[in-house]
Amino acid sequence: MVILEAKRLSKHFGGLRAVDKVDIGIDQGDIYGLIGPNGSGKTTFFNLVTGFLPPTTGQVLYKGEVISKLKPHQISQRGIARTFQQNSLFPHLTIKENIIAGRHLKTSGSIAGSFFNTISYKEEQKGLEQKAMELLTFIGLEERADVLAKNLPHGEQRILEIAITLAEEPQLILLDEPATGMNAIETAKVINLIQSIREMGTSVIIVEHHMQVIMGMCNRIGVLSSGVKIAEGTPEDVSKNKEVIAAYLGSGWKHA
Amino acid sequence: MKKYNKHLMTYIVLTAIAAALPLGRDVYVQHLLTLTLILAIYALSYNIIVGYMGLFSFGHQAFFGLGGYTIGLLSLGEASAGRSALPLSLAWPVWATLPASLLVCAIAGYVIGYVSLQMRGVYLGLVTLGFAMLIWMATINERHFTGGVSGVRGIPPFELTLPGLPTLELSSPFSFYYFALVLLVFTIYFISRLTKSRFGRALVALRENEERASALGVDAFKYYLMAFTIAATLAGLAGFAYSYYLRYITPTALGITFLWSAVIMVIIGGTGTLLGPVIGAFIFVFVPEVFRIAEELRLLLFGAALVVVIIFLPQGIYPSLVSLWDRFILRRQERKGIEGEISK
């Protein structure tokens, strides 16, 4: 079943065609890798899907509904979560509070409930704490639950960021370069984490330069170059594709 | 649970100390203390915008003044209306003026917030300032309705009659102090519960990282607007107390002076904390009294203090005190630990 569909999706910044007539379909349970040289429009594509940028032309459909005119929080309400390329945590909140922030859509407590400290308020607080600790145990940060997020090392900040999106219990996760700047051990950790996300039945779109991550995990890969989709298919197909090789290495090398 | 009780105990002790403060003091000190509590409520309301939303509004004084003016104009009776030369003689009682002033401020906060929260940064500051100046100018110029520069005078004393109870009349600084204390305790409790609610968590998430929070499903505009309206309403509560306490209100209460006072109290005291603005208000009222200097020099002094605090204590006085205390406790525990090891 197709859950996300981009139809002739374009984003132009003045004369620059950052994303140009891209068609992409994501099936339920896919781990879809989006690769391409720097500046090929991968992050712009993410911003179009999650409502941070309005498309110039074309549409994004999620489960058959057009979402390209919605705001980020409305898209998130429909079950699409994302991470950002730059570190994007709540730096002055603790690790636990970061996770709890991710539970925003899964809670419903009112100000009045908090004011009168009602039973339902207390229960929701308890549930939040429990859920946060479960997730922290899952990513192995439970002992540092009360450390401020800004004090974590880079690799663990990236992993915490994925955990925040998991707290949303989304159906589709968009990961923007989750393994940037990580060493081999941390990269392996991220791969494990994404594997277990797939086992939960959540679909993933991942932008990444680490080929180890992309080739080992994705069942389908799309390649963007200068905003245009130049290839799509299984990891084997894509890695043999002439256009893809040309885009990464340049096409003039034969004549040199 | 233990931590919660400890917090509760701290607040009970602090309230008890506050309740004992005016006992046996002369009337002037009691007056300053009462003013401190009223300004503390105002500072706390501004702190919602600066400390919890992380935005800068320069129009908060308008809500303080609007609250005060609503009381003034609605509570004037036949006798006092003559003194103010105003045509109004509604003589509304307290139980009617209180909700009226809160409602006026909530509506004004919603409308002004709705327009200005489309913007961020310095533009937000300018638009809110523009609205406040507009209200200030209108108050000065619409003499027949607002009393112009001389404001509304002869506001009747705070008098609350509840069925079956003796009339509560607060005409001295001493009695008004305890009423203001009740309002302040309510405000602190309200804001403390607000920050612990889902709403408060969303606000703090927005302050920390607006982009990230909206990707988590937080509707930034909705939450900002709600918080702005709540802050405006609480500023109205402070204005309400101010107006009933001094029994007059002039356009100064809507003017730029009250903007700077809010900024000074919150930044010196400590943004984003509950007790910081209260400490800020105390310093704002009492330090100039200690030096006995003129009104003009007061702002100069606080301008300088603001610069010093921003450079040396960027978080404000209260958070710095807390971390100093924490370090003190930690060092004592360490010393005890070492002594314990030695004695073993």
Side-chain angles (χ1 to χ4, degrees), chain A residues 52 72-73 76 82 84 88-93 100 104-105 107 109 111 114-115 117 121 125 128 165 168, chain B residues 4 186 189-190 193-194 196-199 201-202 204-205 208-209 211-219 223 226:
Chain A
F52 281 88
H73 69 265
S76 156
R82 72 169 289 185
F84 293 82
S88 173
L89 295 163
F90 304 110
H92 299 101
L93 300 186
I100 287 175
H104 180 77
L105 290 171
T107 50
I111 297 174
S114 167
F115 187 82
N117 208 2
Y121 167 79
Q125 283 311 97
L128 274 174
T165 57
E168 292 182 74
Chain B
Y4 180 73
F186 166 81
Y189 181 74
F190 178 75
R193 296 315 300 178
L194 193 73
K196 288 189 179 69
S197 69
R198 175 177 183 261
F199 174 79
R201 281 197 303 269
V204 170
E208 289 290 306
N209 193 335
E211 193 182 47
R212 190 75 187 95
S214 51
L216 293 172
V218 179
D219 185 347
Y223 280 87
M226 250 171 101

Side-chain angles (χ1 to χ4, degrees), chain A residues 26-38:
Chain A
I26 314 290
D27 285 331
Q28 180 91 52
D30 262 353
I31 294 198
Y32 188 98
L34 197 58
I35 60 171
N38 286 328

